[in-house]
Amino acid sequence: MASNACWRCLARPRAQNGIAIASTQSSILRTAPAAAFSTSAVLSAKGSGSAGLPSTKHGSKSATPKRGEKTTFSTNKKKRADEPRAKRPDVGERKALRKRVVLSNPNAIEVQELTKLEENITINEDQKGQIISLPNELIDRLKALEAFEARQSWNMFRRPSTLVRDNTIELAKLFAQPPDSEPHSNVSKRVIVGAKGSGKTVYLLQAMALAMTNNWTVIHIPEVRDLTIAQTDYSPVPGSKPTLYNQKHYLSTLLKRIARANPHLSALKLSATPNLPVPVQENMSLARLAGLGSDPDLALPVFQALWAELTAPTRPPILLTLDNFSRANEATEYMSSSFKKIHAHDLWLIDWFLGCFTGKTALPNGGAVFAAMSGNNAPRNPALEIRLRQIEAHQGIQEGTFVPEKDLTIPFLEATEQVPNPIPAADPFIKYDGRVLDVLGGREAALSGSREAGGVVIKRVEPVSREEARALMEYWARSGMIRARVDEGFVGTKWTLAGGGVLGELEKGCFGMRI
């Protein structure tokens, strides 16, 4: 007789014919064969003393994790409290290390019998192609202005030295003019252009060194990029229309550099009592006046008062220099209150420099304003480039050194004849920045190709000649940087591989890439 319960009915047993459900289940389970192996999880008993069941970590707790309990296995070990950690660099430490300039190498051979650039020295045509060294006092003043750059090769030699070229002789004549002569009534305005590595920054360095030896007041803005990449604080100048923005911490640092680089300011006294938020002594020197700008909140009024004293009658001439002129004619990374990018011309310091460059701010005692282009990390600026080309073309025609360009707008005549295009024409399909064009003559001058640019002169730094390259290589060999024999073949090979005398490439080819 078949059983009242089957295997299918084990899950839902029922009572039938008076047989109890519990007795039915127990009889069937006793007859069922036990499985040899099971992959199901083992259920732990509630009590810790259950036989045959593994005990859990927490004893009476079940193996199933509770809600919120961590179940993943982590290999990370807790660090000890007394374990030493690496010290993080201080604020500005990495930037200071990146911009650190080494000007002396004690392991280099000292070259004897070099002429030093001092006040009583006269640079003339006879010294062309010679190496002159900078005295320690002049080096300290140039270093205060940040005239040296870390990417230059000053750390290869015993002391900083420079090559006398045609540009050096021209600068020496400019700064050696007597203060009462007629040329000092005019201001020399130059834009320094040239290939990358040709020596534009060294041109500014020589200009500052020669101006210092002739007791000029030198103010230098080393890298305009530091003013435009939004790494220093800024605030609108009250009452300025259009709105100008003051970078007080940078201006405070600039005042400190001016005071350290121009020691003759200690002998100059105030000609009038300036209107400052702090009391000022009547017979205060200009160096102490610049020292008041150590407080960033007073930097702007102190700089304005110092500039008024420097342009007073019977004051020394002034040299203003700026590096990376392209950055001073673009939109910066700063944002206005309407969340629009601020143009570089709206920064107070750059607006002041451009005012001196264009003639809006007068230099009654004479002076010079130099702005150098840069081939390192310089943005393209179509308005600035077309105006510089036009001014340089006019200047070349006047001097008789102009080489006509090909007119690429007439390509079918290029194969038969070269069509001269004396003045590069502005592209009518390019939207030029009108504010940049106003600095160099205006929009109408750019469209018509006019020479009118406010007396600005384009100075192109050419590569060194073979004779100048030989003088440099002989100096490098005497310093221990070149171990080969410096002869005509060696000079010609290095000069040719350096792009025809590009100074930066010449350094790389001689000792920069030596293994």
Side-chain angles (χ1 to χ4, degrees):
M1 179 177 178
S3 174
N4 293 332
C6 63
W7 291 101
R8 301 180 194 176
C9 301
L10 291 177
R12 293 181 299 170
R14 59 184 177 176
Q16 186 178 2
N17 298 328
I19 302 176
I21 296 176
S23 61
T24 305
Q25 287 181 340
S26 61
S27 61
I28 295 177
L29 288 175
R30 283 195 299 269
T31 60
F37 177 75
S38 176
T39 58
S40 61
V42 179
L43 300 178
S44 60
K46 293 184 179 180
S48 58
S50 300
L53 296 177
S55 60
T56 60
K57 180 179 179 181
H58 301 287
S60 61
K61 294 184 179 179
S62 62
T64 304
K66 292 184 178 180
R67 183 179 180 182
E69 184 177 353
K70 184 177 180 181
T71 60
T72 58
F73 177 73
S74 177
T75 58
N76 297 331
K77 297 181 180 180
K78 294 183 179 180
K79 296 183 178 180
R80 298 179 180 178
D82 56 346
E83 184 178 354
R85 297 182 179 181
K87 180 183 177 182
R88 294 185 178 181
D90 298 334
V91 178
E93 183 178 353
R94 285 177 291 186
K95 180 180 178 181
L97 183 63
R98 185 176 67 251
K99 300 183 67 175
R100 184 173 63 97
V101 180
V102 180
L103 299 178
S104 178
N105 184 6
N107 297 322
I109 302 175
E110 185 175 1
V111 181
Q112 303 293 337
E113 299 178 356
L114 287 181
T115 305
K116 291 187 178 181
L117 184 60
E118 298 176 348
E119 296 183 3
N120 54 357
I121 187 176
T122 302
I123 299 179
N124 48 32
E125 296 288 342
D126 298 336
Q127 295 178 335
K128 181 180 177 181
Q130 297 182 6
I131 304 295
I132 58 175
S133 64
L134 305 178
N136 295 331
E137 181 183 358
L138 191 60
I139 291 174
D140 295 339
R141 296 172 63 183
L142 291 173
K143 191 175 181 179
L145 288 176
E146 297 186 7
F148 302 99
E149 293 190 358
R151 57 186 174 85
Q152 296 169 342
S153 303
W154 305 110
N155 59 339
M156 297 291 184
F157 306 97
R158 196 54 155 313
R159 63 183 310 106
S161 303
T162 184
L163 175 67
V164 177
R165 305 182 62 188
D166 293 332
N167 299 331
T168 312
I169 299 173
E170 181 187 2
L171 290 173
K173 294 179 180 179
L174 172 66
F175 296 118
Q177 294 172 356
D180 296 333
S181 61
E182 186 65 24
H184 269 277
S185 60
N186 301 324
V187 179
S188 177
K189 307 171 187 177
R190 299 183 183 182
V191 178
I192 318 302
V193 299
K196 179 181 178 180
S198 58
K200 298 179 291 295
T201 305
V202 177
Y203 182 93
L204 294 181
L205 173 67
Q206 292 181 349
M208 287 183 277
L210 292 171
M212 288 177 179
T213 55
N214 289 276
N215 296 323
W216 283 40
T217 302
V218 182
I219 301 176
H220 177 55
I221 301 177
E223 178 58 55
V224 184
R225 183 172 176 269
D226 295 339
L227 292 171
T228 60
I229 60 175
Q231 70 174 9
T232 181
D233 55 347
Y234 67 107
S235 60
V237 179
S240 58
K241 293 183 180 180
T243 305
L244 299 177
Y245 296 87
N246 174 32
Q247 297 161 299
K248 58 181 182 180
H249 283 88
Y250 187 92
L251 198 59
S252 176
T253 306
L254 181 61
L255 285 170
K256 296 177 183 178
R257 295 203 301 257
I258 293 173
R260 291 198 304 265
N262 299 279
H264 63 274
L265 296 181
S266 301
L268 300 178
K269 304 298 181 180
L270 291 175
S271 60
T273 303
N275 186 13
L276 295 178
V278 294
V280 178
Q281 189 177 356
E282 295 183 358
N283 58 347
M284 178 183 292
S285 64
L286 298 187
R288 291 181 57 192
L289 177 63
L292 296 177
S294 58
D295 185 2
D297 295 331
L298 300 177
L300 181 57
V302 168
F303 190 90
Q304 293 173 340
L306 178 64
W307 180 252
E309 290 293 333
L310 292 177
T311 54
T314 68
R315 298 298 191 188
I318 302 174
L319 172 64
L320 303 180
T321 56
L322 179 142
D323 203 356
N324 203 345
F325 190 49
S326 300
R327 291 284 182 178
N329 294 277
E330 64 167 358
T332 66
E333 298 299 329
Y334 294 100
M335 293 293 180
S336 62
S337 57
S338 58
F339 205 71
K340 294 182 180 180
K341 285 192 174 183
I342 299 174
H343 199 276
H345 293 186
D346 292 331
L347 301 178
W348 186 90
L349 186 60
I350 295 180
D351 179 75
W352 163 80
F353 181 87
L354 294 178
C356 300
F357 187 77
T358 56
K360 295 180 181 179
T361 303
L363 298 177
N365 301 316
V369 184
F370 293 166
M373 303 291 288
S374 177
N376 299 305
N377 195 15
R380 292 293 306 274
N381 196 322
L384 183 62
E385 292 173 1
I386 187 62
R387 281 304 291 154
L388 293 180
R389 290 174 55 199
Q390 291 176 349
I391 297 172
E392 189 176 11
H394 280 286
Q395 186 176 319
I397 293 175
Q398 184 178 1
E399 297 175 357
T401 59
F402 175 72
V403 178
E405 300 179 357
K406 292 183 179 180
D407 192 350
L408 300 181
T409 60
I410 314 177
F412 61 88
L413 292 178
E414 186 178 356
T416 58
E417 60 177 327
Q418 185 177 4
V419 180
N421 183 17
I423 308 300
D427 192 343
F429 299 101
I430 295 180
K431 185 178 180 181
Y432 296 105
D433 191 349
R435 304 186 68 174
V436 179
L437 297 177
D438 292 339
V439 176
L440 298 172
R443 183 182 299 273
E444 296 181 358
L447 296 178
S448 61
S450 174
R451 172 67 177 86
E452 180 60 31
V456 176
V457 176
I458 307 299
K459 185 62 181 178
R460 179 168 294 276
V461 180
E462 300 290 347
V464 296
S465 62
R466 286 177 178 264
E467 293 76 13
E468 294 172 343
R470 185 183 181 92
L472 281 173
M473 293 182 190
E474 290 177 352
Y475 170 73
W476 295 341
R478 295 171 63 186
S479 299
M481 298 307 302
I482 296 180
R483 300 179 183 179
R485 181 179 178 181
V486 181
D487 52 8
E488 291 296 333
F490 182 82
V491 173
T493 301
K494 296 299 182 180
W495 182 85
T496 304
L497 293 177
V502 178
L503 193 56
E505 300 299 328
L506 190 64
E507 290 182 353
K508 293 179 183 179
C510 290
F511 56 84
M513 297 186 296
R514 188 179 64 183
I515 300 177

